[in-house]
Every structure is written in structure tokens, then in C-alpha cells.
Amino acid sequence: MPVNSSPPKKIRPGSGTAAPRVLVVSRCAWTLYNFRAGFMEALGNRGADVLCGGASGDGYEGLLAKAGFRFIPLPVHKRAVNPLADLHLLFALLRWYRETRPDAVCHFTIKPVIYGTVAAWLARVPRIVNVVTGLGYVFTESKITWLRRLVMLMYKASNSLADTVFFQNNDDLRFFVEHSLVRPSKARVLPGSGVDLDRFLPGPAPSGPPVALLVGRLLQNKGVYEFVEAARQVKRKMPEARFQLLGRRDERNPSVVPEAKLSEWIGEGVVEYLGEVADVRPVVRNASVVVLPSYREGIPRALLEAAAMGKPVVTTDAVGCRSAVDHEKTGLMVPVGDANALAAAMLRILSDPQLASAMGAEGRKKIEAEYDENFVVDEIVEALHVFDGPAGPHPE
């Protein structure tokens, strides 16, 4: 997946000019590698000089380098709010932007969007594009209204400085507009992060016992607890069924599942924990159904990738999640927080291979029609405006 693996598709006119420089900033190396690599590769193939930045220490820095991406570690603190750490991040971003003098910067996830936008404005970056990938923990927990108000104020201030703000579903866009957190003229909707349709391909039906797979970070608001309880219920009627968790324990998030609780589930024999993998495809290929009972999402890429591979999905009737499934056609939707309904939905698909196959085939059609990664890339590249005129010189 090298950045310049094919000839540039589109470059700035004018001989002797530097390539347009674009900085891509996300929460950490893991998100850059797993969710932004296709976008960065496309920028590089079109002739841009691409640098990316985020928190380091998750083991993905080397994978980014191996893929041909230049990664800059940034002090993105794990806690939701830490004023000193966040100020440190702001000044680190400001220093980086002034040193590299990019033509455009694209921010993903909450802290890069908020602090990166302010830094880019102070550094006079010509073009600032933000992608709000979901509202996250602050907006799904009812007990932290003071933090939500603070984050809303910060979003409003930062988005006023951005040129374009993308959202991954209409519900989030509507929320931001109704609460005056972004001007309607700046707001646009993307179909999630898109899916590489050439990489995530359908395969033969899995052999062996039926498998229900949850792909996602091990967080309470991803519906992990409901998945485990539903697994208990299904196992009583289908003892041979297996239930797997694939994803990391994100200590940056306050709702992370405690290690002791995870060990308890494994010891009980109700779930298998597969940890984190660089390539989810072999695990998804072996699943009978992919499940994400999340409380709220931007648009869950795990479900989009699963559907692209011809897998039926089960998710919740929640913001973002409902966009990833056509109920009774590509999978099933259940109410948020309802483990009983989740168990019934999983049991229905696990016990009917023909239904699973039919839903999986329809899911692939849905992804091809609505969630092609190329469309997402084109929309963001257009908003960056880096291929519209000659680039100036850049410091090395």
C-alpha cells in the first residue's frame, strides 16, 4: 500500500512547482492506518506530498512507514479533557504547521478537529477541512452534561474557522446545525469512510460451527455488554455457536471494558477474545454474522466492510448504525441496549444459512452502490482544493 504505487492521476499545473502539501491528522497511528490509508494513498497518487500525524505508541507507526506514509508523532492525550495536555497538543500542531507550511490540512476525530483547526488558522494554512467521524463518548453518556457543553463550545469555535466540515451521517449534521455548531453552508455529508471494494471481497460460506463476530473497540458504548449477554442466551439454544470479540481495549476511552471483566467472560466460556489484528479480513471471512450493537456511530466501518465481504450484519437502530443496514434485507436492526432482541436476531441468522447468504449478497450490492471509498476520497480531495493552482515552495 505505498503512497506512490501508481502514476499520479491529477497534479497541479505548471512546471517547476512543488507538489501540493497536505497534512492528515487523526487521533493516533492506529486510526490513520486502519481508516485513512486509502485517502492518503489517493492523495499521493494524485501528486500530493502527504504527511500524517497522531498519537504514537500503539504499534502502528511501523506499519504506516512500511506502507510508505510519513508519520509525525503528536501528543494526543488519552483523557477526554486535560487542559495542560491539550494546550501542549495545540502548540505542537501550531509548530508543525508553521514548519511544514501545508497547502491544506484535513482533521479527523475530535481533538484534531478542535485543536488542529485553531492551530491551522493561527498558522495561516490556506485550506482547513474537518471530518467529524462521530460524536463519541461525550454525547452518549447522560451524566457528563458539563463536558458536553464545553465540547460543543469548542466545536463551534473551531468549525467557524474551517472551510468545510464533513459528517458521516445526516443525524450528526442536523445536530450540529440545529445547535449552531457549524454553518449550514460549510456542512456536507460523506458515506462514512468508504470501503475499498477491491480489498474487501465476498468469499465462500464459512465451514464449521456458526460464528457471531463483534468487530470494534472494547467499549461499553459499542454494546459489548449486550453482545455478551445475548451470547449467553443464544448458547442455551445453540451450544455449538461461537461468539468472538475482535478489537482493542482503548484505554483512552472512559467506557473501556475492564480487563477483569473481559477475563471473567473468557473464563465463563461465553466469548473468545481475538485481540487486535492488522488485517480483519481472515477473521471476518470465518464469521457467519457480524454484530455491532453500538449506542451511536458516525457510520461503523466494521459493518460496511463486513457487508462488502458478503456477511449479514446485526446492529442497533441508532444514529449511524441504521445507515449501515437495510433491515430484513442486508441484516437486522434491534433497539439500543436490548440484549434479548439482539439474541433473537443473532439466533435467527445463525440458524438459517440460506437467510445469511441472501442477506450477505444484498449487503455487497448496498456497499457497491452507496459506500465506495473512491467517492469519499473524491469528495474530500475536492474540498481541499490543492489541485486547483500552482503550489509554492515548501521547506524540507
Side-chain angles (χ1 to χ4, degrees), residues 23 86-102 105 107 112-128 130 157-158 160-163:
L23 306 188
D86 292 344
L87 192 62
H88 184 205
L89 172 62
L90 173 63
F91 282 106
L93 287 164
L94 178 58
R95 182 168 57 252
W96 185 34
Y97 294 171
R98 283 177 171 170
E99 288 174 353
T100 55
R101 294 170 55 195
V105 61
H107 303 113
V113 164
I114 289 174
Y115 300 109
T117 302
V118 175
W121 181 78
L122 291 172
R124 298 185 179 181
V125 175
R127 196 76 183 172
I128 305 170
N130 292 337
S158 62
S160 70
L161 306 175
D163 296 288

Side-chain angles (χ1 to χ4, degrees), residues 338-391:
D338 191 336
N340 295 331
L342 181 62
M346 290 196 296
L347 183 62
R348 181 180 168 193
I349 292 177
L350 290 174
S351 60
D352 190 342
Q354 288 187 330
L355 175 64
S357 178
M359 285 182 166
E362 290 298 323
R364 174 68 187 189
K365 293 177 185 177
K366 176 180 177 66
I367 303 305
E368 289 176 341
E370 301 176 21
Y371 291 102
D372 189 336
E373 184 181 58
N374 291 322
F375 173 76
V376 176
V377 168
D378 289 343
E379 287 288 296
I380 302 178
V381 168
E382 179 187 348
L384 290 171
H385 288 307
V386 291
F387 300 108
D388 298 339

Side-chain angles (χ1 to χ4, degrees), residues 129 175 258:
V129 173
F175 178 88

Side-chain angles (χ1 to χ4, degrees), residues 76-87:
V76 184
H77 198 268
K78 67 173 66 174
R79 289 188 58 184
V81 175
N82 184 316
L84 290 178
D86 292 344
L87 192 62

Side-chain angles (χ1 to χ4, degrees), residues 46-63:
R46 297 180 192 207
D49 177 27
V50 183
L51 290 82
C52 59
S56 60
D58 54 22
Y60 279 78
E61 304 90 330
L63 292 174

Side-chain angles (χ1 to χ4, degrees), residues 136-138 140-141 217-226 253 255 293-297:
Y137 176 80
V138 172
T140 56
E141 290 294 316
R217 290 176 292 159
L218 267 59
L219 307 176
Q220 179 179 345
N221 54 29
K222 293 291 184 182
V224 176
Y225 286 82
E226 288 84 354
N253 194 297
S255 74
S294 182
Y295 300 175
R296 186 182 187 116
E297 296 282 335

